[in-house]
Amino acid sequence: MRCGNSLVQPSSSNFYFSTGTDEHGKKIHDAANATGVSPENHCDVYSNRFMNLSKKFGIKYTGFTRTTSPKHIEAVNHFWTLLDGRGHIFKRSYEGWYSLVDECFYNDYEVVGHTTNDGKQIKVCLKRTFVNFLLKFLIAIETKTVVTKISEENYAFDLSQFYEQIRHWANQPDFTLEKAATLVNAYLVNDLGNLLQRSINPRLNPLKQYPIRTDINELLTHFDDETSKATAKQLIEKLETLPEIATEHYDNQNIHRVLDLLVELVQLANLFFQQCEPWKIINSQIKLDSVLFITYETVRLTAIYLQPATPDFADKLLSILGIPHAERTIEAARFLNPRTDSGTVGMEKNEAVFPRIALNK
C-alpha cells in the first residue's frame, strides 16, 4: 500500500494482495452435476469469470489463488499440521439445522417451520432458485433457504482465544456486482471523471495549462461572492488536511475510510465548480484560472490517494493533468505543491476519462 513516500499498487516488493476462488463442497458438486460437467470444469469456468471481473474493474492483485491448486493444498496441509501441533484443532460432535445454500448451521430459534396443509404455496430459495413448494419443510428465518437437521462429528478450531485479534473483521459489508458497478459509475465516472472532463474543456482552458498558485490568501481574493468563497475555503481546508488523515488510514489498512474521504472531497469540488460557473467568467482570466487550479488540485490529490485502490484510473487522471511520475508520491500530495512548470493538461477528443461499467444481465 505504501512504500517509502509512494502510494503504490500491489506488488511483491512491498506487500501481497491475494484473491481467488473457493472451489470445494457439496454445492460445487451439485452445481456441476446440474450442468452436466465435471466439478473441475465447473470451477474453471467460474474462476475465469472472477479473473476477468478483476480486469474489468481495474483491480490488480499479486496472486490469484484457487483452492484446488497444488500450491494451496500444500499450504493448507502445512497450516493444519502447525495448528494441530499447537493444540488449536479438536474433534467434536455437532447437531444443527444446516443450509446447503448458505453453507452454515442455524440454531433452533433461527429456523421456522412451514406447512402447506392450508393449500398456500411458500416461495423459498433452493440452490439459488426460487421455487414454489407444497410440502412441509423448515427454512432459515433470515435467508429463507431450506434447512435439514444434520448430526456430524467434525474438526473444529478454537477461535475464543483469538477473539480480540479478529473482532474487527467480523462485520464485513455485503458485496454485489451491481453495488460495485453503481459505486464506480456514481463516484468515479460521474463525480470525478466528469469533473475533470468539464474542467479541461478547451473553451475554459484553450492553452491546456495547469495554472500555478502559491498563496492561499491571495487565491481566495479572486472570489468576490461569499458563497463560492466559503466553499473554496472549505475545500482548501480539506485538501490541506487530506495527506495526514489519508496516510494514517492507509498505514492502518483502513482503505474504505480513505475512499470515503475522497468521495466527500470530490462531491464538494463539484459543488464548488458549479457555484463558480466558470463558463460565465471566461473573460476574467485570473478568477477562471483560480477555479481551475483548485479543481485540478482536488483531482490531483484525489488521484494520488486513489493509486492503491484503482491504479489504472488514477494513472489516467494524473496523466491527463500532466503530472510526472516522480510527482505522484505522498511527498508531492500537498495542496500548493510547487511545480517546476505549469504542465500540459488534456486528452483525446470524444474520449471518456473512465468508461461506465455495464453489467450483462
Side-chain angles (χ1 to χ4, degrees), residues 1-2 7-8 187-188 192 238-239 241-267 298-310 314 330 333:
M1 191 64 62
R2 186 156 80 100
L7 285 169
V8 294
Y187 297 125
L188 295 187
L192 186 52
K238 288 184 178 296
L239 290 170
T241 58
L242 177 65
E244 180 181 356
I245 299 174
T247 302
E248 181 180 357
H249 284 325
Y250 269 134
D251 286 343
N252 293 325
Q253 303 298 309
N254 292 322
I255 302 174
H256 64 287
R257 292 187 178 178
V258 179
L259 300 181
D260 287 342
L261 281 175
L262 299 181
V263 166
E264 181 182 347
L265 187 65
V266 172
Q267 289 177 337
T298 302
V299 176
R300 181 179 70 86
L301 268 66
T302 298
I304 288 177
Y305 284 101
L306 272 178
Q307 288 178 107
T310 56
I330 293 177

Side-chain angles (χ1 to χ4, degrees), residues 102-322:
D102 301 335
E103 293 185 328
C104 70
F105 282 93
Y106 289 97
N107 294 310
D108 289 341
Y109 61 85
E110 295 175 304
V111 302
V112 62
H114 282 290
T115 180
T116 56
N117 292 337
D118 57 1
K120 292 183 179 179
Q121 290 186 334
I122 307 295
K123 183 172 284 189
V124 299
C125 180
L126 183 62
K127 294 183 181 178
R128 302 196 182 280
T129 302
F130 281 94
V131 181
N132 288 321
F133 275 82
L134 289 172
L135 301 170
K136 184 176 181 179
F137 55 92
L138 291 171
I139 62 172
I141 296 174
E142 181 180 358
T143 62
K144 303 297 187 292
T145 56
V146 176
V147 297
T148 55
K149 197 64 168 287
I150 291 180
S151 299
E152 66 175 17
E153 185 180 39
N154 212 329
Y155 292 95
F157 178 80
D158 185 9
L159 286 175
S160 60
Q161 57 186 301
F162 302 101
Y163 176 76
E164 287 302 321
Q165 294 96 316
I166 65 172
R167 181 171 55 84
H168 66 284
W169 295 104
N171 298 312
Q172 296 296 322
D174 293 334
F175 172 83
T176 65
L177 292 183
E178 290 77 11
K179 183 182 293 185
T182 299
L183 291 174
V184 169
N185 291 334
Y187 297 125
L188 295 187
V189 180
N190 293 347
D191 288 350
L192 186 52
N194 287 349
L195 175 64
L196 179 57
Q197 201 143 17
R198 293 163 69 196
S199 63
I200 62 174
N201 188 302
R203 186 163 172 255
L204 300 181
N205 193 352
L207 298 180
K208 297 184 176 182
Q209 290 184 338
Y210 194 122
I212 295 178
R213 293 290 185 269
T214 58
D215 184 87
I216 293 177
N217 292 327
E218 180 187 355
L219 177 63
L220 290 173
T221 63
H222 301 155
F223 301 95
D224 45 22
D225 68 283
E226 293 303 318
T227 300
S228 62
K229 178 180 286 189
T231 306
K233 187 175 181 180
Q234 183 183 2
L235 182 56
I236 290 172
E237 289 174 352
K238 288 184 178 296
L239 290 170
E240 287 186 302
T241 58
L242 177 65
E244 180 181 356
I245 299 174
T247 302
E248 181 180 357
H249 284 325
Y250 269 134
D251 286 343
N252 293 325
Q253 303 298 309
N254 292 322
I255 302 174
H256 64 287
R257 292 187 178 178
V258 179
L259 300 181
D260 287 342
L261 281 175
L262 299 181
V263 166
E264 181 182 347
L265 187 65
V266 172
Q267 289 177 337
L268 185 60
N270 272 280
L271 174 63
F272 164 73
F273 194 82
Q274 194 66 30
Q275 288 176 345
C276 292
E277 299 182 312
W279 50 89
K280 292 184 178 181
I281 55 173
I282 294 177
N283 295 325
S284 178
Q285 194 63 48
I286 293 179
K287 183 176 181 179
L288 176 59
D289 282 352
S290 295
V291 173
L292 294 181
F293 173 76
I294 294 176
T295 302
Y296 293 163
E297 283 290 89
T298 302
V299 176
R300 181 179 70 86
L301 268 66
T302 298
I304 288 177
Y305 284 101
L306 272 178
Q307 288 178 107
T310 56
D312 291 341
F313 182 53
D315 176 73
K316 188 170 186 178
L317 292 173
L318 293 167
S319 296
I320 291 172
L321 290 175

